[in-house]
Amino acid sequence: MTENKEPKGKCGGCASNKKDDRLLYGKLDVYDWLSDVPESVLCPDIVEVKFKNTRKGFFSNSNQLRLQRGDVIALEASPGHDIGIVTLTGDLVVEQMRKQKLNPKTYEAKKIYRKAKPVDIEKWHEAIALEHKTMIKARQLSAELKLNMKIGDVEYQGDKTKAIFYYIADDRVDFRQLIKVLAEQFKIRIEMRQIGARQEAGRIGGIGPCGRELCCSTWITNFVSVTTNAARYQEISLNPQKLAGQCGKLKCCLNFELDCYIDAQKDFPNTNIPLETKDGTAYHQKTDIFKRLMWYSYDKYNTINMVQLSVDTVKDIIKQNKKGIKVNKLVTEFVAEPKKTLEYENVVGQDSLNRFDSVEKPAAKKAKRKFRRKPRKNNNSSES
């Protein structure tokens, strides 16, 4: 039996309350849409478990443990046992397996032994503390052996009997001598696993040119190939310095809006077709896809005296050219854009938002008239 209870103080899509410094929060989490629905009878006892970075696996809950999302568990590994965190239970695990093209009926899942004990977790954290030191030492050893490779990350197994060394290399590398040296140095079983430049950037992390954290280190788990056609469809200049990401490859975000651009250009005419006019031949220069505007110029290599035309007008001109009719002249078509007016409602009862900005000069003080005091008449002098 498994149960899906959301961690207290967090929503269903957040990470678990169990802290693992090796895991990037939110990257491997799965939102359980069926958390408040009872499990079906045919639901297999398979649990999805996450490890470091992009590594996930499906394991069999043969011991019928009451597991919920966020539990730290000890599970079968070769050799020994490993420690992982439960990310998903219930019927959605089957859908996750189908997504990765795995058959739940024929898949041979390894077993879950138990919930992790304090001793297991303590040993697991000791293994985590060794990963950075091991990576630095492995880089030094590979440099001494003059191997054309870069070790980007190290992941220890939960029981400290095995370590996976992730490396990146352009060509094939013979690292048999390196494995012998590493096994003698660390007294563990060594597994070398090659990754690509995108996976390495996702493991290291960083800030992209957009000012946000890299997508590959926050939420992207499956990397799709990116080509320069994605930039051509979106009318982006083919500047390799601007199109390349932290990994040196084309940015993954070039594919994010590609489908919208392809759908918008379905009825666009071919830009390689010139427009025949009586003044000469006009060639395509640029396109505003979402405004459905195209610019043509009589000079093929210079953007001088460009004429702005709508897509429908260009299609009509091409139809006339196919019939052998030349247009008299290309006339720029201006598209009137609606002016955006910001409406302000005086909901607070105040006259203006910038009423304190203007400082009025104080009024000039009126000059006081000086009155001369008349001399007092001396009665004594008058009487005399």
Side-chain angles (χ1 to χ4, degrees):
M1 290 294 292
T2 58
E3 57 181 6
N4 277 327
K5 293 182 180 180
E6 303 298 335
K8 294 182 180 180
K10 294 195 176 186
C11 63
C14 297
S16 63
N17 286 333
K18 304 293 188 301
K19 184 179 179 182
D20 178 13
D21 297 331
R22 306 188 307 168
L23 300 174
L24 297 171
Y25 297 110
K27 183 171 183 179
L28 298 180
D29 292 325
V30 181
Y31 186 84
D32 192 356
W33 299 96
L34 303 178
S35 58
D36 55 346
V37 178
E39 294 181 0
S40 62
V41 180
L42 301 177
C43 177
D45 292 327
I46 298 179
V47 179
E48 185 187 65
V49 182
K50 69 178 178 180
F51 301 94
K52 187 178 181 181
N53 291 308
T54 59
R55 192 163 73 93
K56 269 188 177 183
F58 299 97
F59 294 85
S60 174
N61 186 12
S62 57
N63 296 328
Q64 299 295 315
L65 302 173
R66 297 184 65 85
L67 299 176
Q68 66 179 16
R69 194 162 60 89
D71 286 339
V72 182
I73 56 175
L75 39 87
E76 181 183 358
S78 57
H81 70 273
D82 202 353
I83 303 294
I85 297 178
V86 177
T87 55
L88 191 63
T89 60
D91 295 320
L92 283 182
V93 178
V94 180
E95 300 300 326
Q96 287 288 97
M97 297 181 70
R98 290 176 181 171
K99 180 181 176 182
Q100 298 186 16
K101 298 180 181 180
L102 299 175
N103 190 352
K105 296 181 180 179
T106 59
Y107 181 72
E108 296 181 1
K110 295 182 179 179
K111 297 179 181 179
I112 296 175
Y113 291 146
R114 61 186 181 275
K115 288 188 178 181
K117 299 178 182 179
V119 179
D120 298 329
I121 296 177
E122 184 179 354
K123 198 171 185 180
W124 182 40
H125 285 298
E126 290 177 0
I128 293 172
L130 294 173
E131 289 178 352
H132 184 70
K133 297 178 182 178
T134 305
M135 181 186 67
I136 300 301
K137 185 63 178 178
R139 286 180 178 179
Q140 295 174 358
L141 295 174
S142 63
E144 292 175 0
L145 295 174
K146 297 181 180 180
L147 298 177
N148 189 16
M149 61 184 294
K150 177 186 176 183
I151 298 176
D153 196 8
V154 177
E155 179 184 358
Y156 267 86
Q157 198 169 275
D159 55 358
K160 292 198 301 182
T161 59
K162 177 184 173 183
I164 303 174
F165 290 77
Y166 297 93
Y167 72 95
I168 180 172
D170 296 331
D171 301 324
R172 191 171 180 177
V173 181
D174 185 7
F175 44 74
R176 287 177 292 181
Q177 184 63 28
L178 177 63
I179 291 177
K180 294 179 182 179
V181 175
L182 291 175
E184 294 177 358
Q185 182 77 26
F186 301 110
K187 308 298 181 183
I188 54 175
R189 186 175 180 179
I190 306 298
E191 179 182 345
M192 305 296 293
R193 189 172 297 181
Q194 187 174 4
I195 58 175
R198 300 181 190 275
Q199 287 85 351
E200 185 193 23
R203 288 177 175 273
I204 296 173
I207 304 297
C210 58
R212 298 172 64 92
E213 194 175 354
L214 295 179
C215 298
C216 55
S217 64
T218 51
W219 61 273
I220 293 181
T221 55
N222 297 323
F223 295 93
V224 183
S225 61
V226 186
T227 61
T228 54
N229 289 331
R232 291 191 180 97
Y233 276 115
Q234 301 175 59
E235 298 289 332
I236 301 174
S237 61
L238 300 177
N239 187 349
Q241 294 180 350
K242 293 184 178 180
L243 295 181
Q246 303 275 31
C247 57
K249 305 292 183 180
L250 292 175
K251 295 178 182 177
C252 296
C253 55
L254 289 174
N255 284 342
F256 291 173
E257 299 178 355
L258 180 60
D259 294 336
C260 297
Y261 280 87
I262 292 176
D263 292 339
Q265 297 181 68
K266 281 184 177 179
D267 61 336
F268 276 44
N270 191 353
T271 56
N272 294 327
I273 301 176
L275 304 182
E276 300 293 339
T277 65
K278 293 181 179 180
D279 294 340
T281 304
Y283 301 93
H284 176 264
Q285 297 296 337
K286 65 176 184 176
T287 304
D288 192 329
I289 297 171
F290 294 108
K291 289 184 178 180
R292 298 179 63 83
L293 295 175
M294 303 178 76
W295 281 264
Y296 284 82
S297 174
Y298 290 102
D299 194 340
K300 188 175 182 179
Y301 303 102
N302 294 320
T303 57
I304 302 174
N305 299 326
M306 290 194 300
V307 181
Q308 176 181 305
L309 301 173
S310 64
V311 173
D312 297 330
T313 304
V314 174
K315 292 165 69 175
D316 293 337
I317 294 174
I318 292 175
K319 287 181 181 179
Q320 294 181 22
N321 292 156
K322 288 182 179 180
K323 296 177 182 179
I325 302 172
K326 291 186 177 182
V327 184
N328 294 330
K329 189 178 182 181
L330 297 181
V331 181
T332 300
E333 297 180 3
F334 293 98
V335 179
E337 297 182 359
K339 295 182 179 179
K340 297 181 180 179
T341 56
L342 299 176
E343 297 181 358
Y344 167 70
E345 296 181 1
N346 188 13
V347 293
V348 188
Q350 298 171 345
D351 297 330
S352 176
L353 292 175
N354 56 358
R355 61 190 182 279
F356 297 114
D357 296 343
S358 60
V359 180
E360 297 180 357
K361 295 182 179 180
K365 295 182 179 180
K366 294 182 180 180
K368 295 182 178 180
R369 291 182 63 184
K370 295 182 180 180
F371 295 96
R372 288 185 178 181
R373 183 176 296 179
K374 294 181 180 180
R376 293 180 179 180
K377 291 183 181 180
N378 194 347
N379 296 332
N380 297 331
S381 61
S382 60
E383 291 176 358
S384 62

